Amino acid sequence: MEHTEYVNLGQFETYIRYYFHDKHLLLEALSHSSYTNEKRKSRNSNERLEFLGDSVLSIVVSEFLFHKYPNLPEGELTKLRASMVCEKALHVFAQEIHLGEFLLLGKGEEHTGGRERSSILADAFEAVIAAIFLDGGMDAAKRHILRFIPENPEEEKPIGFRDYKTQLQEIIQKNPEEKVEYVLVDESGPDHDKAFQVEVCLNSNVIGKGVGHSKKVAEQLAAKEALLLMGYDQA
């Protein structure tokens, strides 16, 4: 696919569930500096939008955590926010909306893997936030950001926002006949402090187990164990 400024904005808008009044804002958010420098376009790269998006993201996440954890001290809130807006987390969020497919990159950046580069994706994710903010206001930006924020961030903090399920799926899908399934095998404890035990199965064989205070966390931990057992030490 040739990536030009005629990139399919409509498709991207369906992924982010926001439709722009000013499409030029979205184009700017998707324009990496390598593209604007190479094309000598009068349009700006996404660097200025990234600057603004970083602040919008920070205030939305800060407000969310402030209300979610009324008894958590400032130091803990700061750590939690940092884990949710770090490059690693934003890279995962960007992948969820297929952001890399829609970036406008210069040829050099394109050929050196810029479309998958964590820093480029994280910066562009912030630029898209700013574009939504400028186009639709804070409420629109807030709705967009909160889509990516887990219901209980404190529970997910130990995972470090590493998406083990996606990593496992990418490895398994190299063999189309293989099938991965997550099975809830146990649920215990009172409603306010439940523990969920999940097994991840490959063709009905258990390859990992995980226990967490939500099914989502348990599934991620099961996938992490599976990756370790398969020899992926970086998990």
Side-chain angles (χ1 to χ4, degrees), residues 54-191:
D54 178 71
S55 296
V56 175
L57 174 65
S58 182
I59 195 166
V60 169
V61 172
S62 297
E63 182 190 21
F64 170 80
L65 293 174
F66 183 82
H67 293 299
K68 177 75 175 176
Y69 300 110
N71 299 314
L72 212 57
E74 181 267 345
E76 290 302 309
L77 289 172
T78 299
K79 287 180 191 174
L80 202 48
R81 180 183 62 194
S83 74
M84 296 167 71
V85 302
C86 68
E87 182 179 302
K88 185 186 291 186
L90 299 187
H91 182 206
V92 171
F93 300 159
Q95 288 175 316
E96 288 182 27
I97 55 174
H98 308 277
L99 182 52
E101 297 173 21
F102 298 91
L103 291 177
L104 294 165
L105 301 174
K107 288 179 183 175
E109 201 64 67
E110 179 81 66
H111 294 151
T112 55
R115 207 165 289 286
E116 288 82 38
R117 188 164 295 129
S118 178
S119 59
I120 289 178
L121 285 170
D123 290 349
F125 186 83
E126 291 181 330
V128 169
I129 288 172
I132 293 173
F133 170 73
L134 291 172
D135 190 70
M138 180 57 92
D139 285 346
K142 186 174 179 179
R143 279 194 301 273
H144 174 71
I145 293 166
L146 292 180
R147 279 181 55 200
F148 303 92
I149 303 304
E151 191 176 338
N152 294 296
E154 203 173 23
E155 288 182 6
E156 302 214 358
K157 191 180 172 187
I159 295 174
F161 284 87
R162 183 75 169 274
D163 192 347
Y164 298 110
K165 285 181 68 178
T166 296
Q167 188 179 349
L168 179 62
Q169 186 64 38
E170 287 173 350
I171 292 165
I172 300 300
Q173 69 187 15
K174 292 175 184 175
N175 299 304
E177 69 279 3
E178 308 281 8
K179 183 185 176 186
V180 174
E181 185 179 10
Y182 292 86
V183 180
L184 178 65
V185 294
D186 190 39
E187 185 178 327
S188 59
D191 286 344

Side-chain angles (χ1 to χ4, degrees), residues 198-201 205-210 221-227 229:
V198 168
E199 292 178 346
V200 57
C201 303
N205 297 313
V206 178
I207 58 171
K209 297 179 180 179
L221 293 175
K224 179 181 181 181
E225 182 176 280
L227 287 164
L229 291 172

Side-chain angles (χ1 to χ4, degrees), residues 12-19 144 147:
F12 184 65
E13 286 174 317
T14 64
Y15 286 141
I16 63 174
R17 303 176 198 168
Y18 180 81
Y19 297 88
H144 174 71
R147 279 181 55 200

